[in-house]
Amino acid sequence: MKICDNVYQIRMDFWVTEQVKRYVYMYLITGRNCYLIDSGVAGSEKIIAEYMKKLGKSMKEIKAVFLTHAHPDHMGGAAEIKKISGCEIYASEKEKDWIENIELQFRERPIPNFYKLVSKPVRVDKTVKEGDVILPEGQVSIRILETPGHSHGHVSYIFEEENVLFSGDAIPDQKDFPIFTDEEKSEKSLEKMTVLDKIQYCCPAWDRVYDGKEWKELLWHSKKYLQKLKESVLKMDKDYGKVSLEEQIRILSEQMGWKERVGNPLFLKSVEACRH
């Protein structure tokens, strides 16, 4: 889907397990060359190639992939895309170890079918940090915004020519339980984004694109959403501190409307993060 001049959204559907279907959005920036924000899971190169063909472009034109973070649905396809195009991979120094060593990532964050979602590690060519401005060509400049919380080194990217913010998973999905490693940092990242006053489009990895009038409201609701979860966790600890952790999680899931997520280990990590 075309977002604005030179920016396109590409959807990739995938199965985490035979019962759990998910999706993720990647974004394509076109100029004299082409650039991707995130790479989807393994196999994404087929979907990207088909989409680019409709635009009269090819994978060979991809000169860089900008990874928001190291989770499988964001970096799983990067190795094959790099093999096809010869592109450079950009990512946070804090996420580099998981991107280049997927065995380490799996040990520290095991999820079902991990090695189907991430077939290979990929070398990070250039690391990025807060305030960096990448100038891959005259018509394209990309500014780095550190937005940790969902993961410890999550970054967002601003395509300055069109004032487009690519927020990855920094803004929690309010239709699902939020996944994060640090609730406080997640809130601070949302606060940091609220002061960006020129953004015309906010492009999350999990949701539709929000225009300049909508996205500040999205940030406000997202912050309230995180606060509600934290308050619920702390109240649960106070009211049900003597029952088992499994029972606490069941109660919390029912209160928040996530009954089907009771056994999800990522939800458990988010709950634990609310206690710190």
Side-chain angles (χ1 to χ4, degrees):
M1 182 179 76
K2 184 174 182 178
I3 307 304
C4 59
D5 289 345
N6 307 113
V7 179
Y8 301 84
Q9 184 188 66
I10 304 173
R11 174 170 171 146
M12 183 175 192
D13 295 285
F14 62 95
W15 293 89
V16 178
T17 68
E18 291 183 359
Q19 294 76 35
V20 180
K21 186 177 183 180
R22 305 289 286 181
Y23 68 90
V24 67
Y25 287 122
M26 304 165 283
Y27 292 91
L28 176 70
I29 299 173
T30 60
R32 191 165 61 244
N33 298 300
C34 296
Y35 309 91
L36 280 173
I37 308 295
D38 285 330
S39 65
V41 302
S44 65
E45 70 278 357
K46 300 172 186 176
I47 293 170
I48 295 167
E50 290 175 3
Y51 192 91
M52 293 184 72
K53 186 177 181 180
K54 295 176 183 178
L55 300 178
K57 297 184 177 297
S58 76
M59 295 278 286
K60 294 287 186 182
E61 295 178 69
I62 298 174
K63 297 303 178 185
V65 175
F66 295 89
L67 298 177
T68 59
H69 59 298
H71 292 167
D73 52 335
H74 294 261
M75 59 77 60
E80 193 62 29
I81 294 169
K82 183 173 185 176
K83 179 180 177 181
I84 294 169
S85 66
C87 68
E88 292 186 314
I89 305 295
Y90 289 77
S92 166
E93 176 71 37
K94 297 174 183 176
E95 305 262 323
K96 182 180 178 182
D97 55 349
W98 276 16
I99 295 168
E100 296 187 335
N101 185 346
I102 59 174
E103 287 78 15
L104 173 65
Q105 179 176 174
F106 181 68
R107 286 198 303 271
E108 296 182 351
R109 189 179 184 266
I111 63 169
N113 292 317
F114 177 85
Y115 288 102
K116 289 185 178 180
L117 303 177
V118 187
S119 58
K120 297 176 183 177
V122 64
R123 182 169 66 86
V124 174
D125 297 289
K126 296 181 180 178
T127 58
V128 299
K129 63 182 184 304
E130 178 79 18
D132 284 351
V133 178
I134 312 300
L135 302 169
E137 62 180 72
Q139 297 297 316
V140 174
S141 63
I142 296 175
R143 181 157 56 92
I144 314 306
L145 190 72
E146 292 185 1
T147 49
H150 174 76
S151 67
H152 71 290
H154 190 291
V155 295
S156 299
Y157 298 97
I158 301 172
F159 176 33
E160 295 193 306
E161 281 69 22
E162 299 288 347
N163 289 314
V164 179
L165 171 67
F166 302 102
S167 59
D169 287 340
I171 305 173
D173 181 357
Q174 295 177 54
K175 300 185 296 295
D176 204 346
F177 69 87
I179 297 172
F180 49 79
T181 59
D182 191 308
E183 189 276 336
E184 184 177 349
K185 286 183 179 179
S186 286
E187 281 199 45
K188 288 181 178 179
S189 291
L190 295 175
E191 286 286 350
K192 181 186 289 187
M193 286 186 276
T194 62
V195 303
L196 300 173
D197 57 0
K198 294 182 180 180
I199 298 302
Q200 295 299 310
Y201 299 96
C202 175
C203 299
W206 50 265
D207 198 2
R208 67 179 179 87
V209 173
Y210 290 81
D211 65 27
K213 295 180 180 179
E214 297 175 309
W215 85 285
K216 289 291 181 73
E217 184 175 350
L218 170 68
L219 293 177
W220 185 85
H221 284 293
S222 296
K223 184 176 179 180
K224 293 296 183 183
Y225 185 58
L226 290 180
Q227 291 172 345
K228 178 183 177 182
L229 174 59
K230 184 167 186 175
E231 289 169 1
S232 296
V233 169
L234 296 178
K235 186 176 187 302
M236 179 188 67
D237 289 344
K238 181 180 178 181
D239 295 346
Y240 301 97
K242 294 183 179 180
V243 304
S244 67
L245 176 61
E246 291 75 14
E247 180 64 11
Q248 289 183 28
I249 294 300
R250 185 192 66 77
I251 294 169
L252 178 63
S253 298
E254 289 186 353
Q255 290 176 348
M256 299 295 290
W258 301 323
K259 193 174 181 179
E260 73 282 4
R261 304 297 190 186
V262 170
N264 191 308
L266 298 179
F267 178 41
L268 295 179
K269 287 185 178 296
S270 295
V271 170
E272 291 169 0
C274 285
R275 295 185 167 120
H276 301 293

